[in-house]
Amino acid sequence: MALSFQTVIGLEIHVQLATKSKLFCSCSTDYIGARPNSNVCPVCLGMPGSLPVVNGRAVELAAMVGLALGSKVQQATRFHRKNYFYADLSKGYQISQFDLPICAGGLLVFDDDEGKEVRVAITRAHLEEDAGKLVHPSVDGRLAGALHSLVDYNRGGVPLLEIVSEPDITCPPHARRYTEEIRRLVRYLGVSDGDMESGSLRVDANISQKVSDGRWGSRVEIKNMNSLRSLERALEYEVKRQRKVLAEGGEIHQETRHWDDGEGKTRSMRSKEEAHDYRYFPDPDLPPLIVTADRIEALRSLMPELPWQAERRLVDAYGLGADDAKVLAESAAAVAYLDGCVQAGAEAKRAANWVRTEVLRVLNERKISIEAFPLKPESLASILALVDRGKLSTTAAKDVFDVMVRDGSGLDTAMAAAGVVSGRVEGSRLEEIVEKVLAENADAAEAVRSGKDPKDKKIKFLQGLVMRETRGQADVAQVASLIARKLS
Amino acid sequence: MKLYARSAADLARSIRSKEHSVAEVVEAHLSRMERMEPILSAIITPLKEEARARASALDIALSRDENPGPLTGVPFIVKDNFCTRGVRTTCASRMLEGWVPPYDATVVRYLEEAGAVLIGKANMDEFAMGSSTEHSAFFTTGNPWDPRRVPGGSSGGSAAACAAGYAPLAFGSDTGGSIRQPAAFCGVYGFKPTYGMVSRYGVVPFASSLDQIGPFSRTLEDLLLAMEVIARPDERDATCSRALRPDFRKALDVTDLRGKRVGLVKEFEGYDIDGAVIESLRSAREILIDAGASVVDVTLPTVGHGLACYYIIAPAEASSNLARFDGVRYGFSAEADSLIELYHKTRQGGFGPEVKRRLLMGTYVLSSGYYDAYYNKALKVVAILRGEFDRAFSEVDFILAPTTPTLPFRKGENIGDPIRMYMSDLFTLPANMAGLPALSLNGGYSEGLPVGIQLIGPRFGEMEIFSAAAVIEKSLGLPRLAGGVL
């Protein structure tokens, strides 16, 4: 009988928290592009005698994630020391949490790519400090070939929240979806930028196989997956590898494997026997951290709408399509912007369409956040109102929108600058435009006049030009009859 | 009276009244240090030029009638594990022989803000691990009452310097008795405050949950003056209390102990204690009774396990605290071809044998499979011991106990026998494990050597101890300046 396999995956996601200062000192967390070792002090350099003091904001951000995931935010929590030697670790230990994490339990519910609901339980989420970064000044920046290594401690001490899932994930695409959902959550809450490429969101996976003959493969930890794509690829690779070994009667040993994105393979980093003994013990420099029930309740009352709640509301209240709702609910600011448009009187679906296409396009082009977007929701709503009342065509509205975004001008100024007149182009003004188009395209006009336009191609061309001149603000039938009259 | 023989309070008064300049006071202490140092070797780094420069700056400020601090012009010495900006801080270790910190310990900052003048950094056992200064990587300090004997440790240099008149105030750190045992051996006051009373920021830790910073002095008034300066909240130390401290010097006026109950620990009677110590305890007891106190026996059934638990918890924390000395960022760094070799050679060459012994013990007791059997069990015993102290302090206001079982021992006498060396902290380390304030004070002399006795109070019960000490000092008189005959 052929063997069948069941994949079991649990994820550990490290999220860098978007605090201004580090977890245990007042140094800036803004390390990207900073001069090496410029954001450091005796505390994050681990100098003798220096002592850590917990950053209250990091605790709040961690608690917010916990509240969003339905975790129990623990009132009494503490920090442990995780002891190991490495050059990027300034104290010879990392301050982390062990038996009393800030958040315990929780659940994340999301849809898979086919729209089927997936539920993954959260084990815990705990606070810890990031390490520094090693720089190997060889030709290609790799360890091999470098004559020495340099350490940059700017990142050392940046707060991390490690979110640990239960082994509830059954396939690589679900692991990717889970990660996407966590990323959306932390971005939505503003607790992290969640960027995997730059390392502000890092995923380690534990993956094993259950075999239909009753065997269990040991758990293998995969590291170094720096994008959603490499996460999925690494896990797909590992599923195949483990199944092959087990199918051939082999054994999977507990180990840590490194994903090589270029090779498309995982390779063994260290076995269970080589694993560190971290000698965890409570950090005596930090008294137990008490987060009072009042503080937790205050945070709970300040919690914004969550991305999945917003997504649902956009569908239910605004009648948006599932796809639009999902795209918009990536960002709390986008949802707030849409809500602003609706409150200012815009029709929800039209506004959503504009936010999704025009607003997000400008944000991408300018690489700015929606908070920095120059057009207020009320202004966009006022453009859309003109469209609704038939006073502005969609094409003209987009021109006006572009001018308002470009110049930061008001509606009337922008309309003048865009050469747009509110309302229909008709009567003598339309007639002027028709005459101008016919004069500029005398050949086509003559062809129509002399009956050499059997398939109405040329007359359609002339109509099109008129419509473009009027920025779509003329009635097509009216234009057609006017042209016909002039050329008869 | 020679300037170096006078108290800090006295010197501060005469500087304020312009009877003496800061320069005169500092010079008198520097020359005392210069004269005594060849015999005692108490100082790792003297700061003569720095102290003279600071003295003249203070004299200028005083001449402009700027408001002086409570310790303006008073010389002081710190143990060489107190970080001092721009001045090397060695911890008496090869590991930090040339290390110059870019910051001051909070206590040093508070003292300098109060106008005190740092004149030297004192010898100690390497990384505060030891009871004699014999584990200093540089040299052993002599006891100012008999230089063939040890001054105690680990803060032995500070105690010897204070006793011999280098400075009226010196400071140390106490993890299991490292202030009180040398204070007893050198015949001065040495106080370990309640855990959380004084900031630990910038003092290189041995065992963070046990370490406290405290003063040495030759008068109770000086001790309390020093406490008023250093015992303040510090936002850089999360374990430092934010509560207001009492007005310590009020205790000086106490003459009457009526209604106070003095505890004597039953379990301490079973130990082998030097007759001179027992005699001093007896006379202190009489003094307290004469002042109206009553004496009660208290019991601490678990105290006998204190030594064992201490030698699990302190090394465990030390093994982690000292992990940062890896040759990567500062201090001693060995030549090596790989990271792992750098670690091995740096730690091999940078740490002395006693430090290595404790790091090995500490690493072992935290290891997986041993954690519960050692570290966790030790913590449970400590919790029980704390409960026993709580019960004792519901019956008494403070405890009277020996500081050390013996008088100062000879150099080399215990060096080959770590357990005997560890035994000298037997009566001091319970206070660290329970976080209690404890004072060693001079209880007399025996054959030319000082005898220390100890007062232990409840958490934040400093005033109980100081009140009792005030009564004892009034009866016994001030401790003598050591080294007068040398």
Side-chain angles (χ1 to χ4, degrees):
Chain A
M1 199 181 77
L3 294 172
S4 65
F5 297 90
Q6 207 177 307
T7 297
V8 180
I9 300 170
L11 296 182
E12 294 168 7
I13 299 187
H14 289 84
V15 178
Q16 262 179 8
L17 296 177
T19 53
K20 286 198 177 66
S21 56
K22 293 183 179 181
L23 186 50
F24 297 113
C25 62
S26 54
C27 289
S28 165
T29 52
D30 193 9
Y31 63 87
I32 294 188
R35 194 164 48 81
N37 297 311
S38 56
N39 290 337
V40 293
C41 72
V43 177
C44 57
L45 281 179
M47 289 199 143
S50 68
L51 294 172
V53 177
V54 180
N55 179 341
R57 185 62 188 152
V59 175
E60 283 180 5
L61 295 184
M64 281 170 71
V65 173
L67 291 172
L69 292 172
S71 310
K72 182 180 185 320
V73 176
Q74 310 219 82
Q75 290 186 38
T77 161
R78 61 175 172 178
F79 290 94
H80 269 62
R81 292 185 182 177
K82 179 179 179 178
N83 295 283
Y84 65 97
F85 285 99
Y86 201 57
D88 64 7
L89 191 66
S90 62
K91 299 184 292 297
Y93 57 84
Q94 179 195 32
I95 305 178
S96 182
Q97 296 195 290
F98 187 60
D99 56 353
L100 294 173
I102 175 91
C103 307
L107 181 70
L108 186 64
V109 182
F110 54 91
D111 287 347
D112 68 9
D113 296 335
E114 281 77 47
K116 210 173 105 253
E117 187 183 274
V118 179
R119 301 167 75 84
V120 176
I122 306 294
T123 312
R124 57 186 278 156
H126 67 255
L127 278 165
E128 61 185 29
E129 54 178 344
D130 210 341
K133 249 181 176 164
L134 288 188
V135 181
H136 308 293
S138 61
V139 184
D140 57 0
R142 293 174 59 163
L143 181 56
L147 291 176
H148 60 278
S149 298
L150 300 171
V151 204
D152 176 5
Y153 291 103
N154 281 345
R155 197 180 69 177
V158 168
L160 294 176
L161 183 68
E162 180 176 339
I163 305 167
V164 182
S165 86
E166 288 290 304
D168 288 354
I169 301 167
T170 55
C171 63
H174 285 184
R176 193 238 315 133
R177 279 290 300 123
Y178 170 88
T179 306
E180 282 172 348
E181 205 61 9
I182 291 286
R183 184 179 64 174
R184 173 164 83 152
L185 174 66
V186 297
R187 284 179 171 171
Y188 201 92
L189 294 175
V191 307
S192 174
D193 70 21
D195 188 31
M196 283 183 83
E197 278 71 21
S198 69
S200 44
L201 188 148
R202 283 166 252 162
V203 188
D204 297 335
N206 284 294
I207 175 165
S208 60
Q209 296 292 322
K210 189 182 175 189
V211 195
S212 54
D213 62 7
R215 283 184 297 154
W216 273 94
S218 288
R219 169 170 60 90
V220 172
E221 185 176 10
I222 318 288
K223 288 184 174 290
N224 194 43
M225 300 166 293
N226 299 325
S227 66
L228 289 168
R229 193 174 125 75
S230 61
L231 167 70
E232 199 168 345
R233 281 177 71 210
L235 292 176
E236 298 283 12
Y237 174 86
E238 196 57 24
V239 168
K240 285 201 193 100
R241 187 189 71 82
Q242 293 186 9
R243 287 183 178 182
K244 184 162 183 285
V245 171
L246 291 165
E248 288 166 358
E251 260 184 75
I252 297 291
H253 299 284
Q254 190 178 328
E255 61 176 342
T256 302
R257 296 178 73 87
H258 182 94
W259 168 248
D260 185 327
D261 210 44
E263 292 269 311
K265 285 179 179 166
T266 62
R267 58 188 155 71
S268 186
M269 264 172 83
R270 57 174 176 262
S271 69
K272 187 189 177 188
E273 289 69 35
E274 295 166 299
H276 291 118
D277 178 355
Y278 290 120
R279 307 191 312 277
Y280 277 100
F281 76 104
D283 191 332
D285 289 331
L286 291 163
L289 178 67
I290 306 299
V291 188
T292 61
D294 286 352
R295 194 155 158 225
I296 295 172
E297 282 321 303
L299 273 178
R300 197 190 300 279
S301 68
L302 290 173
M303 283 293 283
E305 182 181 39
L306 299 174
W308 43 85
Q309 292 166 343
E311 189 179 334
R312 168 134 311 217
R313 179 169 63 84
L314 297 185
V315 172
D316 293 350
Y318 290 168
L320 303 193
D323 196 43
D324 279 344
K326 191 167 163 48
V327 170
L328 289 169
E330 281 290 320
S331 143
V335 172
Y337 192 91
L338 174 61
D339 288 340
C341 292
V342 173
Q343 270 155 31
E347 195 271 318
K349 273 167 129 172
R350 190 193 295 281
N353 197 23
W354 273 71
V355 174
R356 190 182 162 178
T357 54
E358 300 307 311
V359 176
L360 295 184
R361 172 179 60 79
V362 173
L363 299 186
N364 280 335
E365 282 168 8
R366 294 196 178 186
K367 306 226 177 311
I368 54 170
S369 69
I370 198 157
E371 287 87 350
F373 188 65
L375 205 61
K376 295 277 156 274
E378 296 75 22
S379 305
L380 179 56
S382 65
I383 300 177
L384 299 184
L386 292 177
V387 177
D388 278 343
R389 279 184 269 141
K391 295 207 166 161
L392 217 53
S393 71
T394 305
T395 318
K398 282 181 183 164
D399 291 345
V400 172
F401 172 86
D402 283 342
V403 171
M404 287 175 84
V405 168
R406 188 189 66 208
D407 301 344
S409 49
L411 184 58
D412 295 339
T413 323
M415 284 177 57
V420 168
V421 180
S422 168
R424 295 230 162 261
V425 178
E426 51 195 358
S428 62
R429 180 155 156 68
L430 181 59
E431 212 168 318
E432 269 170 41
I433 292 171
V434 169
E435 278 163 11
K436 178 169 160 259
V437 167
L438 294 182
E440 282 169 1
N441 299 275
D443 289 356
E446 189 46 43
V448 175
R449 206 192 309 266
S450 53
K452 288 179 188 158
D453 186 23
K455 287 179 181 164
D456 288 348
K457 266 193 177 169
K458 294 201 164 78
I459 199 162
K460 289 253 162 64
F461 167 69
L462 292 170
Q463 283 172 11
L465 289 177
V466 173
M467 289 308 287
R468 195 163 77 191
E469 282 289 304
T470 64
R471 294 196 158 74
Q473 305 220 71
D475 181 68
V476 181
Q478 212 182 345
V479 170
S481 75
L482 203 55
I483 290 176
R485 208 174 73 212
K486 296 265 173 197
L487 296 179
S488 62
Chain B
M1 197 195 256
K2 301 265 193 209
L3 281 175
Y4 64 76
R6 290 167 64 174
S7 72
D10 196 13
L11 292 170
R13 272 191 291 271
S14 60
I15 287 167
R16 266 198 297 276
S17 67
K18 308 220 165 115
E19 186 191 334
H20 292 290
S21 68
V22 179
E24 278 176 84
V25 168
V26 165
E27 214 51 56
H29 288 87
L30 289 178
S31 66
R32 173 70 173 174
M33 176 159 82
E34 213 158 289
R35 198 159 62 248
M36 299 295 287
E37 198 47 11
I39 306 159
L40 296 183
S41 302
I43 302 296
I44 292 175
T45 307
L47 297 170
K48 293 178 191 167
E49 289 320 306
E50 292 85 345
R52 285 179 182 130
R54 179 137 158 84
S56 66
L58 286 168
D59 277 329
I60 290 167
L62 285 163
S63 71
R64 292 195 193 120
D65 283 329
E66 282 175 26
N67 207 7
L71 290 177
T72 288
V74 174
F76 74 103
I77 281 165
V78 294
K79 189 176 181 176
D80 207 20
N81 60 347
F82 286 47
C83 287
T84 42
R85 183 169 49 194
V87 173
R88 73 174 183 153
T89 298
T90 69
C91 295
S93 179
R94 296 277 171 225
M95 192 60 97
L96 289 177
E97 198 168 352
W99 182 60
V100 178
Y103 50 99
D104 279 323
T106 294
V107 166
V108 171
R109 186 160 57 83
Y110 286 170
L111 284 162
E112 291 191 333
E113 283 168 6
V117 182
L118 181 64
I119 65 165
K121 301 196 69 184
N123 195 27
M124 56 189 280
D125 289 290
E126 183 177 4
F127 283 108
M129 297 175 186
S131 308
S132 67
T133 73
E134 290 169 290
H135 294 304
S136 166
F138 307 132
F139 44 77
T140 298
T141 297
N143 188 307
W145 296 94
D146 176 359
R148 291 164 303 175
R149 295 176 186 268
V150 301
S154 63
S155 313
S158 296
C162 178
Y166 293 19
L169 290 175
F171 296 83
S173 60
D174 187 317
T175 309
S178 279
I179 290 173
R180 289 159 289 157
Q181 184 257 21
F185 280 12
C186 293
V188 291
Y189 286 101
F191 182 59
K192 182 204 92 75
T194 302
Y195 189 81
M197 178 63 89
V198 178
S199 168
R200 296 183 295 116
Y201 188 87
V203 177
V204 182
F206 165 10
S208 314
S209 74
L210 306 170
D211 294 348
Q212 262 300 286
I213 311 311
F216 293 95
S217 71
R218 296 188 307 268
T219 71
L220 185 64
E221 185 184 15
D222 283 3
L223 193 85
L224 306 193
L225 191 56
M227 280 299 289
E228 288 190 351
V229 170
I230 66 169
R232 282 157 53 196
D234 179 18
E235 59 181 24
R236 288 170 186 263
D237 177 359
T239 64
C240 186
S241 165
R242 289 162 187 229
L244 266 178
R245 274 60 169 174
D247 185 352
F248 295 122
R249 273 184 292 175
K250 279 209 170 119
L252 290 172
D253 303 329
V254 174
T255 51
D256 183 353
L257 293 177
R258 265 176 294 181
K260 294 291 179 191
R261 284 163 303 171
V262 188
L264 297 177
V265 180
K266 249 354 256 131
E267 287 75 10
F268 284 171
E269 286 167 16
Y271 290 99
D272 186 13
I273 302 173
D274 190 288
V277 175
I278 292 173
E279 183 52 35
S280 284
L281 279 174
R282 200 194 48 75
S283 64
R285 183 169 161 260
E286 294 310 315
I287 293 166
L288 296 171
I289 290 170
D290 286 349
S294 54
V295 174
V296 183
D297 276 344
V298 292
T299 174
L300 301 170
T302 307
V303 81
H305 297 296
L307 190 70
C309 291
Y310 176 84
Y311 277 97
I312 290 168
I313 293 167
E317 291 183 15
S319 73
S320 176
N321 282 337
L322 271 61
R324 66 192 66 198
F325 301 107
D326 59 7
V328 174
R329 288 162 303 277
Y330 44 74
F332 175 69
S333 182
E335 281 289 319
D337 293 326
S338 69
L339 187 60
I340 191 77
E341 192 187 328
L342 174 71
Y343 292 156
H344 287 161
K345 287 190 169 171
T346 297
R347 294 171 69 81
Q348 193 95 82
F351 291 137
E354 182 62 24
V355 173
K356 285 178 188 160
R357 188 196 331 268
R358 301 206 195 189
L359 296 186
L360 285 172
M361 286 197 285
T363 304
Y364 179 80
V365 299
L366 287 177
S367 298
S368 106
Y370 299 98
Y371 183 90
D372 284 324
Y374 293 102
Y375 185 74
N376 222 7
K377 193 174 281 179
L379 288 186
K380 286 178 189 162
V381 175
V382 168
I384 292 169
L385 183 61
R386 282 174 179 246
E388 290 173 2
F389 268 114
D390 286 347
R391 211 167 316 119
F393 285 118
S394 68
E395 291 161 20
V396 300
D397 298 293
F398 59 91
I399 286 169
L400 174 66
T403 306
T404 60
T406 67
L407 301 190
F409 45 85
R410 287 172 188 279
K411 289 179 181 171
E413 194 179 325
N414 287 339
I415 192 80
D417 187 346
I419 302 293
R420 261 185 75 190
M421 189 77 98
Y422 297 170
M423 291 292 276
S424 100
D425 291 337
L426 204 58
F427 300 124
T428 47
L429 50 87
N432 298 80
M433 291 199 287
L436 307 174
L439 173 70
S440 180
L441 52 93
N442 182 259
Y445 301 85
S446 168
E447 294 170 19
L449 293 173
V451 183
I453 54 174
Q454 188 180 202
L455 299 171
I456 304 171
R459 275 173 63 73
F460 295 101
E462 265 77 1
M463 291 306 273
E464 298 292 348
I465 295 176
F466 296 154
S467 302
V471 168
I472 295 173
E473 186 179 79
K474 279 175 200 118
S475 172
L476 290 181
L478 292 173
R480 298 177 210 148
L481 184 74
V485 291
L486 295 171

